[in-house]
Each structure stands twice: as C-alpha cells, then as structure tokens.
C-alpha cells in the first residue's frame, strides 16, 4: 500500500519514487542489500509510466536530456557495481533520504522564481550527469530526485520539461544500476513482482 502511494505521488511530478521506497523499506526493516535493487526495479516501471505521460503531453526535450544521460548511464552502471559494506550502504541511503527531505523542505519554503529557461553548457551537463548517475547506481535511486532541483534552481527548464527529463533520466539510470547489480549475480526475488503490481 505504501509503495502504491509513493509511486502515484512521485510519478505525478516526473519521478519514480526510489527515495520513497527506500524510506518505506528502511521503516519496515528490510535489509540494506535488498533495498537498492528493489528500489531500482520499481523505478524502471514507474519511470516508464511517468515519462510516457509527460512526453505524450509534449514536455520532453532530447536536447536537454541527452547530455545528462550520456554521462550518467556508464556512471550509474559503475555505481551499481560497487558493493559497499552493509553499514556503509545504510549510511549512504540515510544520507540520500536526509538530503531529499532537506531539498523538499527548501523548495516548499522558497520556491524558485520564474525566468526564461537556458539549457546548461555541454561540460556542465556532462559533469552533473556523471555525478548524479554514479550516486543513482550506488544508492538505488534513479538520480531524478537530485537532477530536478538542479535543473530548476539553475533555470535550465520549466517544471514540466524538468519532470519529463527527470523521468527518462531515472529510467536509464535505474536500468544501468540494475545492470551493474545483475553482473554481480543479482536476480529478482519473487516478492518484487507483487511490489511492482
């Protein structure tokens, strides 16, 4: 039930809900090693739905998306390959959740002012994509929870174009992160299908 609520709320703003799924799993005592692949797997499904809806409404821009993605995909795969000790993984996931909460509180308290969007330069987009991709694969998030505020705060796109870009960014990074985990022997547990439904 909590996954259903998280998925619906996050998808409405172009996200897939990984940070929410991680929080739910942390609250119910799921092992840290299970949390990351589960969040990434559900991300794939929800990001497909969110991206489809925003793209069909005409909010997607390849020009904004691809510089972030081209650097983030290999970085997310590399992050998925990294096997942190259980305690370090718990700490990293905790940091992600705290930063996510802080970002949400900041945006709610001080919304960004409207201005004409100007896309980032290529080196900046590649650097941002690479860093967020690695973080996505390492922690089990798709990276959109960090990409969206960066795009909005820097004035690179309006909110709907940001949501469309973030949803596809989450999708490709989640797949890359799962690829890294699968190369180390991870296979989906039976419970994953119920959560996906």
């Amino acid at each position: 039930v909590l996954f259903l609520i998280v998925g619906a709320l996050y998808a409405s703003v172009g996200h897939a809900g990984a940070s929410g799924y991680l929080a739910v799993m942390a609250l119910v005592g799921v092992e840290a090693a299970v949390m990351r692949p589960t969040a990434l797997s559900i991300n794939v499904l929800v990001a497909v739905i969110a991206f489809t809806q925003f793209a069909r409404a005409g909010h997607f821009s390849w020009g904004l998306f691809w510089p972030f993605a081209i650097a983030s995909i290999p970085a997310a795969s590399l992050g998925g390959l990294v096997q942190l000790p259980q305690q370090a993984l718990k700490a990293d996931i905790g940091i992600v959740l705290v930063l996510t909460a802080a970002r949400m509180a900041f945006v709610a308290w001080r919304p960004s002012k409207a201005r004409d969007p100007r896309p980032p330069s290529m080196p900046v987009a590649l650097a941002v994509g690479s860093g967020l991709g690695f973080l996505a694969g390492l922690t089990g998030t798709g990276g959109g929870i960090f990409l969206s505020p960066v795009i909005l705060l820097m004035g690179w796109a309006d909110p709907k174009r940001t949501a469309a870009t973030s949803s596809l960014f989450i999708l490709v990074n989640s797949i890359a992160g799962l690829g890294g985990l699968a190369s180390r022997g991870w296979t989906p547990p039976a419970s994953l299908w119920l959560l996906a439904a």
Side-chain angles (χ1 to χ4, degrees), residues 121-161:
S121 67
M122 183 65 64
V124 168
L126 292 172
V128 169
S130 178
L132 296 184
F134 184 78
L135 184 62
L138 182 68
T139 60
T141 66
I145 195 75
F146 303 112
L147 180 63
S148 289
V150 169
I151 290 176
L152 291 172
L153 290 172
M154 298 304 293
W156 294 336
D158 61 49
K160 289 185 178 179
R161 184 153 287 182

Short mmCIF file of all heavy atoms in Angstrom, two decimals, residues 121-161:
data_model
loop_
_atom_site.label_atom_id
_atom_site.label_comp_id
_atom_site.label_asym_id
_atom_site.label_seq_id
_atom_site.Cartn_x
_atom_site.Cartn_y
_atom_site.Cartn_z
N SER A 121 25.58 24.42 -20.41
CA SER A 121 26.62 24.14 -21.38
C SER A 121 26.90 22.64 -21.37
O SER A 121 26.60 21.95 -20.39
CB SER A 121 27.90 24.91 -21.04
OG SER A 121 28.46 24.42 -19.83
N MET A 122 27.49 22.13 -22.44
CA MET A 122 27.78 20.70 -22.54
C MET A 122 28.67 20.19 -21.40
O MET A 122 28.34 19.19 -20.77
CB MET A 122 28.41 20.40 -23.90
CG MET A 122 28.67 18.93 -24.13
SD MET A 122 27.15 17.95 -24.22
CE MET A 122 26.43 18.66 -25.68
N PRO A 123 29.80 20.84 -21.08
CA PRO A 123 30.64 20.33 -19.98
C PRO A 123 29.90 20.28 -18.64
O PRO A 123 30.08 19.34 -17.87
CB PRO A 123 31.81 21.31 -19.93
CG PRO A 123 31.86 21.95 -21.27
CD PRO A 123 30.44 21.99 -21.75
N VAL A 124 29.09 21.27 -18.38
CA VAL A 124 28.34 21.30 -17.11
C VAL A 124 27.32 20.15 -17.08
O VAL A 124 27.22 19.43 -16.08
CB VAL A 124 27.62 22.66 -16.93
CG1 VAL A 124 26.63 22.60 -15.78
CG2 VAL A 124 28.66 23.76 -16.69
N ALA A 125 26.58 19.94 -18.17
CA ALA A 125 25.60 18.87 -18.22
C ALA A 125 26.26 17.50 -18.08
O ALA A 125 25.75 16.62 -17.37
CB ALA A 125 24.80 18.93 -19.53
N LEU A 126 27.42 17.31 -18.72
CA LEU A 126 28.13 16.04 -18.61
C LEU A 126 28.62 15.80 -17.18
O LEU A 126 28.52 14.68 -16.66
CB LEU A 126 29.32 16.02 -19.58
CG LEU A 126 28.98 15.97 -21.07
CD1 LEU A 126 30.23 16.16 -21.91
CD2 LEU A 126 28.27 14.67 -21.43
N ALA A 127 29.12 16.83 -16.53
CA ALA A 127 29.61 16.69 -15.15
C ALA A 127 28.46 16.38 -14.19
O ALA A 127 28.57 15.49 -13.34
CB ALA A 127 30.34 17.96 -14.72
N VAL A 128 27.35 17.10 -14.35
CA VAL A 128 26.18 16.86 -13.49
C VAL A 128 25.64 15.45 -13.73
O VAL A 128 25.37 14.71 -12.77
CB VAL A 128 25.08 17.92 -13.76
CG1 VAL A 128 23.77 17.54 -13.09
CG2 VAL A 128 25.54 19.29 -13.25
N GLY A 129 25.51 15.06 -14.98
CA GLY A 129 25.00 13.73 -15.30
C GLY A 129 25.87 12.62 -14.74
O GLY A 129 25.38 11.64 -14.18
N SER A 130 27.18 12.78 -14.86
CA SER A 130 28.11 11.76 -14.37
C SER A 130 28.02 11.61 -12.85
O SER A 130 27.91 10.49 -12.33
CB SER A 130 29.54 12.15 -14.77
OG SER A 130 30.46 11.23 -14.27
N GLY A 131 28.05 12.71 -12.14
CA GLY A 131 27.98 12.65 -10.67
C GLY A 131 26.67 12.07 -10.17
O GLY A 131 26.65 11.21 -9.29
N LEU A 132 25.57 12.52 -10.76
CA LEU A 132 24.26 12.04 -10.32
C LEU A 132 24.03 10.59 -10.74
O LEU A 132 23.37 9.84 -10.03
CB LEU A 132 23.15 12.94 -10.85
CG LEU A 132 23.17 14.38 -10.34
CD1 LEU A 132 21.97 15.15 -10.87
CD2 LEU A 132 23.23 14.44 -8.82
N GLY A 133 24.56 10.19 -11.89
CA GLY A 133 24.44 8.81 -12.33
C GLY A 133 25.13 7.86 -11.37
O GLY A 133 24.58 6.82 -10.99
N PHE A 134 26.36 8.19 -10.96
CA PHE A 134 27.08 7.34 -10.02
C PHE A 134 26.33 7.24 -8.69
O PHE A 134 26.18 6.15 -8.14
CB PHE A 134 28.50 7.88 -9.79
CG PHE A 134 29.32 6.99 -8.90
CD1 PHE A 134 29.89 5.82 -9.39
CD2 PHE A 134 29.51 7.31 -7.57
CE1 PHE A 134 30.63 4.99 -8.57
CE2 PHE A 134 30.25 6.48 -6.73
CZ PHE A 134 30.82 5.32 -7.23
N LEU A 135 25.86 8.37 -8.20
CA LEU A 135 25.09 8.38 -6.95
C LEU A 135 23.83 7.54 -7.08
O LEU A 135 23.45 6.81 -6.16
CB LEU A 135 24.73 9.82 -6.59
CG LEU A 135 24.02 10.04 -5.27
CD1 LEU A 135 24.87 9.58 -4.10
CD2 LEU A 135 23.65 11.51 -5.11
N ALA A 136 23.18 7.59 -8.26
CA ALA A 136 21.97 6.81 -8.50
C ALA A 136 22.24 5.32 -8.40
O ALA A 136 21.53 4.58 -7.71
CB ALA A 136 21.40 7.15 -9.88
N GLY A 137 23.27 4.84 -9.09
CA GLY A 137 23.59 3.42 -9.07
C GLY A 137 24.06 2.95 -7.70
O GLY A 137 23.75 1.85 -7.26
N LEU A 138 24.81 3.79 -7.01
CA LEU A 138 25.37 3.44 -5.70
C LEU A 138 24.30 3.29 -4.64
O LEU A 138 24.33 2.36 -3.83
CB LEU A 138 26.39 4.50 -5.27
CG LEU A 138 27.10 4.27 -3.95
CD1 LEU A 138 28.04 3.08 -4.06
CD2 LEU A 138 27.89 5.52 -3.57
N THR A 139 23.33 4.19 -4.63
CA THR A 139 22.34 4.23 -3.54
C THR A 139 21.00 3.58 -3.86
O THR A 139 20.18 3.38 -2.98
CB THR A 139 22.07 5.69 -3.12
OG1 THR A 139 21.55 6.40 -4.25
CG2 THR A 139 23.32 6.36 -2.61
N GLY A 140 20.76 3.30 -5.16
CA GLY A 140 19.46 2.69 -5.51
C GLY A 140 18.40 3.71 -5.84
O GLY A 140 17.22 3.40 -5.83
N THR A 141 18.80 4.94 -6.13
CA THR A 141 17.85 5.94 -6.62
C THR A 141 18.09 6.10 -8.11
O THR A 141 19.12 5.65 -8.63
CB THR A 141 18.05 7.31 -5.92
OG1 THR A 141 19.33 7.83 -6.30
CG2 THR A 141 17.95 7.19 -4.42
N GLY A 142 17.18 6.75 -8.80
CA GLY A 142 17.37 6.96 -10.23
C GLY A 142 18.09 8.25 -10.54
O GLY A 142 18.44 8.53 -11.67
N GLY A 143 18.32 9.08 -9.52
CA GLY A 143 19.04 10.34 -9.70
C GLY A 143 18.14 11.54 -9.97
O GLY A 143 18.57 12.67 -9.87
N GLY A 144 16.88 11.29 -10.32
CA GLY A 144 15.98 12.39 -10.64
C GLY A 144 15.67 13.28 -9.45
O GLY A 144 15.43 14.48 -9.62
N ILE A 145 15.70 12.71 -8.26
CA ILE A 145 15.41 13.49 -7.06
C ILE A 145 16.46 14.58 -6.87
O ILE A 145 16.22 15.60 -6.21
CB ILE A 145 15.31 12.57 -5.81
CG1 ILE A 145 14.65 13.28 -4.64
CG2 ILE A 145 16.66 12.01 -5.43
CD1 ILE A 145 13.18 13.43 -4.76
N PHE A 146 17.64 14.39 -7.47
CA PHE A 146 18.69 15.40 -7.42
C PHE A 146 18.74 16.22 -8.70
O PHE A 146 19.04 17.41 -8.67
CB PHE A 146 20.05 14.74 -7.18
CG PHE A 146 20.09 13.91 -5.93
CD1 PHE A 146 20.20 12.54 -5.98
CD2 PHE A 146 19.99 14.52 -4.68
CE1 PHE A 146 20.23 11.78 -4.83
CE2 PHE A 146 20.01 13.77 -3.52
CZ PHE A 146 20.13 12.39 -3.59
N LEU A 147 18.45 15.58 -9.85
CA LEU A 147 18.50 16.30 -11.13
C LEU A 147 17.43 17.39 -11.20
O LEU A 147 17.71 18.50 -11.64
CB LEU A 147 18.34 15.33 -12.30
CG LEU A 147 18.39 15.98 -13.69
CD1 LEU A 147 19.75 16.61 -13.95
CD2 LEU A 147 18.06 14.95 -14.77
N SER A 148 16.22 17.07 -10.78
CA SER A 148 15.12 18.05 -10.87
C SER A 148 15.44 19.36 -10.16
O SER A 148 15.30 20.43 -10.76
CB SER A 148 13.83 17.46 -10.30
OG SER A 148 13.33 16.48 -11.17
N PRO A 149 15.86 19.33 -8.89
CA PRO A 149 16.15 20.61 -8.24
C PRO A 149 17.31 21.35 -8.89
O PRO A 149 17.31 22.58 -8.94
CB PRO A 149 16.46 20.24 -6.79
CG PRO A 149 16.70 18.79 -6.78
CD PRO A 149 15.97 18.21 -7.93
N VAL A 150 18.32 20.62 -9.39
CA VAL A 150 19.44 21.28 -10.06
C VAL A 150 18.93 22.02 -11.30
O VAL A 150 19.25 23.20 -11.51
CB VAL A 150 20.55 20.27 -10.43
CG1 VAL A 150 21.58 20.90 -11.35
CG2 VAL A 150 21.22 19.73 -9.18
N ILE A 151 18.13 21.33 -12.12
CA ILE A 151 17.60 21.96 -13.34
C ILE A 151 16.76 23.19 -13.00
O ILE A 151 16.90 24.25 -13.61
CB ILE A 151 16.76 20.95 -14.16
CG1 ILE A 151 17.66 19.88 -14.77
CG2 ILE A 151 15.98 21.66 -15.26
CD1 ILE A 151 16.92 18.78 -15.50
N LEU A 152 15.90 23.05 -12.00
CA LEU A 152 15.01 24.17 -11.64
C LEU A 152 15.78 25.33 -11.01
O LEU A 152 15.55 26.49 -11.35
CB LEU A 152 13.91 23.68 -10.70
CG LEU A 152 12.88 22.74 -11.34
CD1 LEU A 152 11.94 22.17 -10.28
CD2 LEU A 152 12.08 23.46 -12.42
N LEU A 153 16.69 25.01 -10.08
CA LEU A 153 17.43 26.07 -9.40
C LEU A 153 18.35 26.82 -10.36
O LEU A 153 18.57 28.02 -10.21
CB LEU A 153 18.22 25.50 -8.23
CG LEU A 153 17.39 25.03 -7.03
CD1 LEU A 153 18.26 24.32 -6.02
CD2 LEU A 153 16.65 26.19 -6.38
N MET A 154 18.88 26.10 -11.37
CA MET A 154 19.78 26.73 -12.33
C MET A 154 19.02 27.39 -13.48
O MET A 154 19.62 28.05 -14.33
CB MET A 154 20.77 25.70 -12.89
CG MET A 154 21.67 25.09 -11.83
SD MET A 154 22.63 26.30 -10.89
CE MET A 154 23.71 26.95 -12.15
N GLY A 155 17.71 27.20 -13.54
CA GLY A 155 16.90 27.82 -14.58
C GLY A 155 17.11 27.21 -15.96
O GLY A 155 17.03 27.90 -16.97
N TRP A 156 17.39 25.88 -16.01
CA TRP A 156 17.65 25.21 -17.29
C TRP A 156 16.38 24.78 -18.01
O TRP A 156 16.41 24.48 -19.20
CB TRP A 156 18.57 24.01 -17.08
CG TRP A 156 19.95 24.38 -16.63
CD1 TRP A 156 20.59 25.57 -16.81
CD2 TRP A 156 20.87 23.56 -15.90
NE1 TRP A 156 21.85 25.55 -16.25
CE2 TRP A 156 22.05 24.32 -15.69
CE3 TRP A 156 20.82 22.25 -15.41
CZ2 TRP A 156 23.16 23.81 -15.02
CZ3 TRP A 156 21.93 21.75 -14.75
CH2 TRP A 156 23.08 22.52 -14.56
N ALA A 157 15.25 24.70 -17.29
CA ALA A 157 13.98 24.28 -17.91
C ALA A 157 12.83 24.64 -16.98
O ALA A 157 13.04 24.89 -15.79
CB ALA A 157 13.98 22.78 -18.19
N ASP A 158 11.61 24.64 -17.53
CA ASP A 158 10.42 24.88 -16.71
C ASP A 158 10.05 23.57 -15.98
O ASP A 158 10.60 22.51 -16.27
CB ASP A 158 9.25 25.38 -17.57
CG ASP A 158 8.84 24.38 -18.63
OD1 ASP A 158 8.64 23.20 -18.31
OD2 ASP A 158 8.70 24.78 -19.80
N PRO A 159 9.14 23.63 -15.01
CA PRO A 159 8.84 22.44 -14.21
C PRO A 159 8.36 21.21 -15.01
O PRO A 159 8.77 20.09 -14.72
CB PRO A 159 7.74 22.93 -13.26
CG PRO A 159 8.02 24.39 -13.10
CD PRO A 159 8.49 24.84 -14.45
N LYS A 160 7.53 21.40 -16.02
CA LYS A 160 7.02 20.24 -16.76
C LYS A 160 8.11 19.62 -17.63
O LYS A 160 8.20 18.39 -17.73
CB LYS A 160 5.80 20.62 -17.58
CG LYS A 160 4.59 20.87 -16.69
CD LYS A 160 3.34 21.13 -17.47
CE LYS A 160 2.17 21.33 -16.50
NZ LYS A 160 0.93 21.61 -17.18
N ARG A 161 8.93 20.43 -18.26
CA ARG A 161 10.04 19.89 -19.05
C ARG A 161 11.06 19.22 -18.12
O ARG A 161 11.66 18.20 -18.46
CB ARG A 161 10.70 20.99 -19.86
CG ARG A 161 11.78 20.48 -20.77
CD ARG A 161 11.96 21.35 -21.98
NE ARG A 161 10.84 21.17 -22.88
CZ ARG A 161 10.71 21.77 -24.06
NH1 ARG A 161 11.65 22.59 -24.47
NH2 ARG A 161 9.68 21.55 -24.81
#
